[in-house]
Amino acid sequence: MNIDFSMVIPYLPILFKAAGMTIVITVLSQAIGTFIGFFLALGRMSRFAVLRGVVWTYVLIFRGTPMLLHLFFVYYAAPAFGLTLEPFPAAIVAMSLSTTAYNCEILRTGLQAVHRGQIEAAQAVGMTWPRILRTIVIPQALRVCIVPYMTNFISHTKGSSLASVITVPELMLSAQMIYSSTYRAIEILTAAGAIYLMLTSALTLVQLWLEKWLRFDERGLSQRRRRQLLLSAGGNG
Amino acid sequence: MIEVAGLSKRFSESILALDGIDLTVQPGEVVCLIGPSGSGKSTLLRSINFLEEPTGGVVRVAGKRVGFVERNGRERRLGAREIAAQRAEIGMVFQLFYLWPHKTALENIILGLVEVRGLSTAEAARIGHELMAKVELSDKMDAYPEHLSGGQRQRVAIARALAMNPKVILFDEPTSALDPELVGEVLAVMEKVASEGMTMVVATHEMGFARRVAHRVVFMDQGKIVEQGTAEQIFGNPQHERLKRFLDRILV
């Protein structure tokens, strides 16, 4: 068997287009999962036991069952409940359900890592909870959960390949279709793998940048903020 | 300025942190709370600004009931917004500073002015600069808490409390977490604040500070006020056995 990677070249536009779909379903579902996951994390910390219980059950179910099953369920079982979705929206729904559960737990870890005294100090100057959350808790929580968050993001990127089973034209499905007509599995899978690695490497770079950005004391204030704080009050900054 | 009547706080079946506290603090008065750890000093301070919700009794600051409103003889718990507004009038300085690590010293001081009082950043910064000068940290404006010594951190925390222009400041063992050589600079700032007429309630183990600055010293034990008086009375002529034992232990 002779391996010839040059045969991949004509298929690259198809693979890149499919990679575009991988990016869209991953980023969109991760964005939804972050947004909802954040509120679930707050719900998990609520003083209302019922709310805590509901969120806990959600996480138990959707973190405890395979995303592949969620995809099949939303795509094939939903019509039984009178809801028929195209592959793309079905994938977004299923992938969001799954990553929401993980994001809920990751964000909760960050929120709960903020020391109680940090919040009390903010209460003591008369701040209300939404302000405390925005100005004190979230900035500190981000620093704690950025690494697990990006780890989940990367894992989710790879997991998006499962959407191929419900015929979403993403990278894995396209690769499969190409090698099943060309019988060049090694070359095509290698190319697809390289593209996945590029995507996840990009996320790793984003993570490094965010980690750096969140070391506030090393970053210091922006020029604009520095001017506002130091020069406006008399120019001795 | 502060009236505490019949205040009690029960944390659990077996832990009664405050057991019927009555205490009145006059405007401009400096009251030092002394007593062994676990005697309820912290809980008393935290009840005054409603960080702890009392089990029973009444707290008034500047004539206003804290945490509740009374109407037609019935009491209703205030909403979160109203409680926050009351807390803005009551400064608090914590043993472990609790400066916000993601904000510079100056930002720590002005956050309340911007977020609670609604001042512009520039206006708030102007006040912040004055306060940084007052606590003698003008050269540390844009230092992050991590890069400050404990004494400097606590001075920033005092400036943060002062920024809100509160009616009273509560100090919860402000020097207990400091290295001995850093205690003096914090006490000096507190003395300055006291000399300007601020009403202060200070839980402390610094008997020297209590002697110099306190108008009244209150000795607490097991959730009760056991004895109170001027510093001379409390340190020079203690009446209760428990206070004598406490002073023997602490003034060696």
Side-chain angles (χ1 to χ4, degrees), chain A residues 83-148:
Chain A
L83 186 75
T84 306
L85 290 174
E86 294 292 308
F88 177 77
I92 296 297
V93 170
M95 290 171 67
S96 299
L97 286 171
S98 182
T99 197
T100 294
Y102 286 95
N103 281 318
C104 168
E105 289 298 88
I106 290 166
L107 298 176
R108 181 171 67 93
T109 308
L111 294 172
Q112 287 182 335
V114 178
H115 194 283
R116 176 102 210 105
Q118 290 289 315
I119 296 164
E120 289 188 348
Q123 288 177 317
V125 296
M127 286 166 69
T128 49
W129 180 236
R131 279 179 201 280
I132 296 174
L133 200 57
R134 178 170 57 80
T135 59
I136 305 299
V137 177
I138 291 175
Q140 295 186 47
L142 280 180
R143 211 175 153 169
V144 175
C145 61
I146 200 66
V147 173

Side-chain angles (χ1 to χ4, degrees), chain B residues 183-236:
Chain B
V183 168
E185 63 191 63
V186 171
L187 294 180
V189 167
M190 288 169 61
E191 286 198 48
K192 195 195 274 187
V193 174
S195 72
E196 289 168 3
M198 178 61 74
T199 310
M200 295 165 52
V201 184
V202 186
T204 187
H205 292 292
E206 292 297 326
M207 299 304 151
F209 175 81
R211 269 180 214 278
R212 279 197 311 280
V213 184
H215 301 110
R216 186 151 45 110
V217 177
V218 173
F219 172 66
M220 290 180 69
D221 194 21
Q222 297 179 350
K224 289 192 170 83
I225 292 178
V226 177
E227 191 169 336
Q228 54 180 309
T230 63
E232 293 98 83
Q233 288 167 348
I234 292 292
F235 298 122

Side-chain angles (χ1 to χ4, degrees), chain B residues 72-85:
Chain B
N72 310 328
R74 283 222 303 246
E75 65 179 34
R76 176 179 69 82
R77 195 180 188 277
L78 291 173
R81 226 169 240 284
E82 298 161 298
I83 291 172

Side-chain angles (χ1 to χ4, degrees), chain B residues 22 38 76 82 89 154 165 217 236 249:
Chain B
D22 296 300
R76 176 179 69 82
E82 298 161 298
E89 307 298 323
Q154 194 60 297
N165 196 17
V217 177
R249 270 205 314 266

Side-chain angles (χ1 to χ4, degrees), chain B residues 89-238:
Chain B
E89 307 298 323
I90 306 169
M92 182 133 192
V93 174
F94 299 87
Q95 179 177 358
L96 297 175
F97 331 123
Y98 297 143
L99 293 185
W100 301 304
H102 59 302
K103 303 215 168 273
T104 62
L106 186 66
E107 286 178 314
N108 264 274
I109 293 174
I110 69 170
L111 187 70
L113 291 173
V114 174
E115 294 289 335
V116 180
R117 299 272 193 247
L119 266 58
S120 73
T121 303
E123 289 170 310
R126 202 161 297 127
I127 296 172
H129 279 238
E130 284 169 23
L131 289 166
M132 286 296 271
K134 178 178 234 165
V135 299
E136 288 165 32
L137 286 171
S138 290
D139 55 334
K140 297 289 184 186
M141 295 283 183
D142 53 356
Y144 283 84
E146 203 178 324
H147 303 297
L148 297 174
S149 72
Q152 291 170 332
R153 286 181 210 186
Q154 194 60 297
R155 284 188 277 152
V156 172
I158 293 170
R160 177 172 70 180
L162 285 171
M164 301 301 288
N165 196 17
K167 299 190 167 75
V168 40
I169 302 183
L170 313 170
F171 294 81
D172 188 3
E173 303 207 18
T175 58
S176 299
L178 297 176
D179 290 337
E181 77 270 21
L182 302 176
V183 168
E185 63 191 63
V186 171
L187 294 180
V189 167
M190 288 169 61
E191 286 198 48
K192 195 195 274 187
V193 174
S195 72
E196 289 168 3
M198 178 61 74
T199 310
M200 295 165 52
V201 184
V202 186
T204 187
H205 292 292
E206 292 297 326
M207 299 304 151
F209 175 81
R211 269 180 214 278
R212 279 197 311 280
V213 184
H215 301 110
R216 186 151 45 110
V217 177
V218 173
F219 172 66
M220 290 180 69
D221 194 21
Q222 297 179 350
K224 289 192 170 83
I225 292 178
V226 177
E227 191 169 336
Q228 54 180 309
T230 63
E232 293 98 83
Q233 288 167 348
I234 292 292
F235 298 122
N237 187 20

